């Protein structure tokens, strides 16, 4: 965090007494105490989370004014200051790290203090009756950290999924589908267990990758949907103590209008505050997305291996030198970037799952680390997917001659002969071809098992990619 005014300090007070805070900081005693006990470090609370807190404080102020429990002059100032938090203009005044009180009360008080002090500034110094705005009594009216912070977590993750991960996956799916179309006529050898299998087209293979990416986007949307229930209105333990009647409904209506997301009040406020199961479910969807992306990136890396002693069916864009000692070597950089991002995101989501089971009674006290992990997972995947799509997938080329060479050398075309010659005889042909170095065609003709014309019709790789049973005619052996 940028240092505000390092040498000048001011006195602030709270229920525990007085404490010195930086003169230029908008936060107060509560934030300063939290800083002293946990520090900020490099892992600050996610900015999206802080912005969601600002959005919520704005909605709460508007709801309190509408319900007549907060004077309009105070409410308007609080709403304006909260809007500045939501926009990111006041990020420098949110120094707290993720290792803080497990309910994120420190971040809630950080927001209350910043908004209260900024609201006083907005009131101006020239007014005779400038309203006194209290962080707890006014900014936090009708709220508790225990309901507002879980709400901010859900809102911020929903927005992150909608604005970052889903568009990244959608674009990846479109580009993979485009490559599938480009490669639709290129016949290649399929592989199962990393061993030669029957022919397919490179376009068919890429259609599978495109479907995985599309399903990934669908899973990200489901992750978003499971976070639409909000805990706001439950206050300390879910009973709604000190929240005015109708408060939660008004807040959620404002959030829906502002974001376009179908947020709704939690069906059971006690579950919504005591448990973080919805976050664990969202993390599970991100794990599934990571698994799909690992497969796609890993396969493209394998198919592009070489250039002379690997599979070599794909030509990956040359992005940077691949070795400090081997001249001319080029590595599949962005495949490996995405693979590492997936492993990292998976680990973050495992932490979310562990934290989700670590709640006690009416509260789960691991919210800050869960917020960090979910946002970090989304951010790292978003960044890696976009780089992979732009720098790798969009520039992929097929090596059609290499694909044709490997198809011609593959022994698994013998599969199409099994319905004609029988499985055991077809297996014997494959074994002989492998042992002698001869082609399947040469072995079959030498044994006199099929006519040349029938064999030509059967051993047609392009026809094999369209499925169906072989129509090779009778064998001479029959």
């Amino acid at each position: 965090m940028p240092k505000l005014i390092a040498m000048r300090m001011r006195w602030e007070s709270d229920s525990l007494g007085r404490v010195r805070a930086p003169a230029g900081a908008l936060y107060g005693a509560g934030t300063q105490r939290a800083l002293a006990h946990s520090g900020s470090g490099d892992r600050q609370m996610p900015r999206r989370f802080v912005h969601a807190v600002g959005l919520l404080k704005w909605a709460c102020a508007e709801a309190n004014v509408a319900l007549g429990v907060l004077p309009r002059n105070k409410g308007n100032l609080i709403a304006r200051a909260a809007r500045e938090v939501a926009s990111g203009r006041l990020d420098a005044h949110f120094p707290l790290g993720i290792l803080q009180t497990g309910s994120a009360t420190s971040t809630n008080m950080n927001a209350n203090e910043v908004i209260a002090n900024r609201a006083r500034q907005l009131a101006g110094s020239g007014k005779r009756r400038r309203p006194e705005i209290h962080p707890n009594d006014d900014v936090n009216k009708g709220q508790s950290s225990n309901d507002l912070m879980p709400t901010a977590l859900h809102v911020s993750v929903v927005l992150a999924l909608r604005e970052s991960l889903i568009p990244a996956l959608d674009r990846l799916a479109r580009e993979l589908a485009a490559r599938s179309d480009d490669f639709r006529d290129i016949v290649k050898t399929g592989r199962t267990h990393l061993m030669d299998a029957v022919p397919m087209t490179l376009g068919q293979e890429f259609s599978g990758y495109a479907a995985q990416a599309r399903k990934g986007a669908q899973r990200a949307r489901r992750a978003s949907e499971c976070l639409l229930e909000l805990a706001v209105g439950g206050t300390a333990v879910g009973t709604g103590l000190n929240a005015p009647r109708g408060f939660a409904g008004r807040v959620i209506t404002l959030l829906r209008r502002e974001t376009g997301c179908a947020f709704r009040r939690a069906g059971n406020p006690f579950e919504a505050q005591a448990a973080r199961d919805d976050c664990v479910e969202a993390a599970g969807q991100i794990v599934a997305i990571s698994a799909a992306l690992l497969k796609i990136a890993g396969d493209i890396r394998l198919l592009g291996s070489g250039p002379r002693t690997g599979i070599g069916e794909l030509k990956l864009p040359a992005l940077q030198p691949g070795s400090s000692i081997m001249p001319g070597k080029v590595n599949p950089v962005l495949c490996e970037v995405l693979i590492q991002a997936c492993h990292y995101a998976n680990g973050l989501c495992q932490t979310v799952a562990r934290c989700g089971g670590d709640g006690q009674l009416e509260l789960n006290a691991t919210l800050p680390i869960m917020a960090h992990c979910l946002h970090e997972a989304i951010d790292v995947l978003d960044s890696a997917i976009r780089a992979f799509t732009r720098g790798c997938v969009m520039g992929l080329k097929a090596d059609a001659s290499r694909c044709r060479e490997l198809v011609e050398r593959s022994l698994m075309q013998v599969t199409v002969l099994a319905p004609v010659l029988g499985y055991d005889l077809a297996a014997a042909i494959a074994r002989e071809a492998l042992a002698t170095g001869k082609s399947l065609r040469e072995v079959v003709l030498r044994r006199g098992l099929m006519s040349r014309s029938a064999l030509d019709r059967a051993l047609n790789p392009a026809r094999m990619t369209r499925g169906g049973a072989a129509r090779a005619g009778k064998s001479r052996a029959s």
Side-chain angles (χ1 to χ4, degrees):
M1 170 195 165
K3 291 184 178 179
L4 296 166
I5 298 180
M7 301 305 294
R8 295 179 53 218
M9 304 293 285
R10 72 178 192 274
W11 285 104
E12 285 283 330
S13 62
D14 60 9
S15 59
L16 292 180
R18 300 176 74 201
V19 65
R20 288 167 64 84
L26 286 174
Y27 57 77
T31 305
Q32 188 62 42
R33 292 186 193 280
L35 272 174
H37 295 135
S38 59
S40 57
D42 295 328
R43 293 182 177 86
Q44 293 183 332
M45 289 297 288
R47 294 299 94 176
R48 286 182 188 268
F49 181 85
V50 171
H51 300 164
V53 173
L55 185 65
L56 278 167
K57 294 293 181 180
W58 162 79
C60 290
E62 295 285 0
N64 281 324
V65 169
L67 294 168
V69 298
L70 184 66
R72 181 164 296 280
N73 61 339
K74 285 188 177 184
N76 288 347
L77 291 169
I78 291 170
R80 284 177 61 192
R83 279 286 196 179
E84 292 188 4
V85 173
S87 72
R89 286 181 57 189
L90 303 181
D91 279 358
H93 301 275
F94 286 84
L96 296 178
I98 58 175
L99 300 179
Q100 58 170 273
T101 181
S103 59
T105 298
S106 299
T107 290
N108 187 33
M109 279 308 303
N110 189 174
N112 291 335
E113 291 170 347
V114 167
I115 291 169
N117 283 323
R118 179 58 181 150
R120 294 186 197 109
Q121 289 181 352
L122 292 170
S125 58
K127 295 186 178 180
R128 253 190 265 176
R129 301 182 65 184
R130 184 169 75 167
E132 181 58 34
I133 297 174
H134 194 279
N136 299 82
D137 297 337
D138 298 317
V139 181
N140 201 61
K141 184 177 286 293
Q143 307 150 54
S144 164
S145 301
N146 297 348
D147 67 333
L148 204 75
M149 295 297 98
T151 300
L153 176 56
H154 281 215
V155 170
S156 63
V157 173
V158 167
L159 293 177
L161 289 165
R162 187 182 72 173
E163 295 168 4
S164 297
L165 189 56
I166 292 171
L169 287 164
D170 282 337
R171 185 183 179 194
L172 174 61
R174 288 194 300 271
E175 292 299 333
L176 288 167
R179 298 296 80 70
S180 174
D181 190 55
D182 293 341
F183 303 153
R184 64 184 180 276
D185 296 327
I186 298 176
V187 180
K188 57 157 285 174
T189 297
R191 296 174 183 86
T192 57
H193 303 271
L194 292 179
M195 307 299 284
D196 296 348
V198 298
M200 63 189 304
T201 70
L202 192 57
Q204 289 169 332
E205 193 164 37
F206 268 75
S207 74
Y209 303 149
Q212 281 189 283
R214 281 195 298 274
K215 285 187 173 184
Q218 292 167 5
R219 290 186 175 103
R221 290 182 175 93
R222 288 199 292 273
S224 175
E225 289 165 7
C226 73
L227 295 171
L228 293 175
E229 283 199 351
L230 303 181
V232 64
T235 64
V237 296
T239 60
L241 181 67
N242 288 354
R245 185 180 298 275
F247 176 75
R250 285 184 178 272
V251 170
I252 291 172
T253 297
L254 288 167
L255 291 175
R256 289 169 65 105
R257 290 175 184 170
E258 187 70 14
T259 64
C261 299
F263 293 118
R264 59 185 181 274
R265 191 172 185 185
N268 186 297
F270 306 101
E271 180 271 342
Q273 291 183 214
R276 298 270 62 80
D277 299 346
D278 294 336
C279 291
V280 174
E281 183 178 353
Q285 297 289 2
I286 295 173
V287 168
I289 293 166
S290 299
L293 295 171
L294 273 170
K295 170 71 162 61
I296 294 167
D299 276 9
I300 289 175
R301 180 168 64 167
L302 275 174
L303 293 173
S305 61
R308 293 190 174 179
T309 60
I311 294 176
E313 293 175 348
L314 289 177
K315 296 179 179 178
L316 277 60
L319 301 177
Q320 62 189 71
S323 173
S324 62
I325 189 173
M326 293 176 280
K329 190 172 188 291
V330 176
N331 292 337
V333 176
L334 291 178
C335 293
E336 292 169 359
V337 165
L338 183 54
I339 287 167
Q340 292 174 88
C342 290
H343 287 310
Y344 182 37
N346 195 331
L348 291 163
C349 290
Q350 298 307 318
T351 298
V352 173
R354 294 287 297 271
C355 290
D358 197 32
Q360 295 84 34
L361 303 177
E362 278 63 64
L363 183 70
N364 182 298
T366 63
L367 189 144
I369 194 71
M370 293 180 80
H372 164 74
C373 288
L374 285 170
H375 280 287
E376 180 78 354
I378 291 168
D379 288 347
V380 74
L381 287 177
D382 170 45
S383 177
I385 291 167
R386 291 179 191 275
F388 177 71
T389 302
R390 182 177 60 252
C392 180
V393 176
M394 293 178 67
L396 284 175
K397 305 293 181 185
D399 190 332
S401 62
R402 175 64 172 169
C403 290
R404 186 164 51 251
E405 173 196 350
L406 295 178
V407 168
E408 291 171 357
R409 292 172 56 190
S410 172
L411 299 178
M412 287 304 100
Q413 291 186 62
V414 76
T415 304
V416 79
L417 303 182
V420 180
L421 302 176
Y423 184 94
D424 291 338
L425 182 53
I429 292 168
R431 287 196 299 272
E432 181 178 337
L434 179 61
T436 62
K438 297 181 181 296
S439 68
L440 294 173
R441 185 182 302 276
E442 289 172 324
V443 174
V444 172
L445 292 176
R446 186 191 65 76
R447 290 191 178 200
L449 298 174
M450 297 175 67
S451 69
R452 188 178 297 275
S453 60
L455 190 57
D456 288 342
R457 287 194 300 273
L459 295 181
N460 183 326
R463 182 182 296 169
M464 293 180 204
T465 67
R466 297 191 288 272
R471 294 180 176 84
K474 287 187 177 181
S475 69
R476 293 181 180 176
S478 63

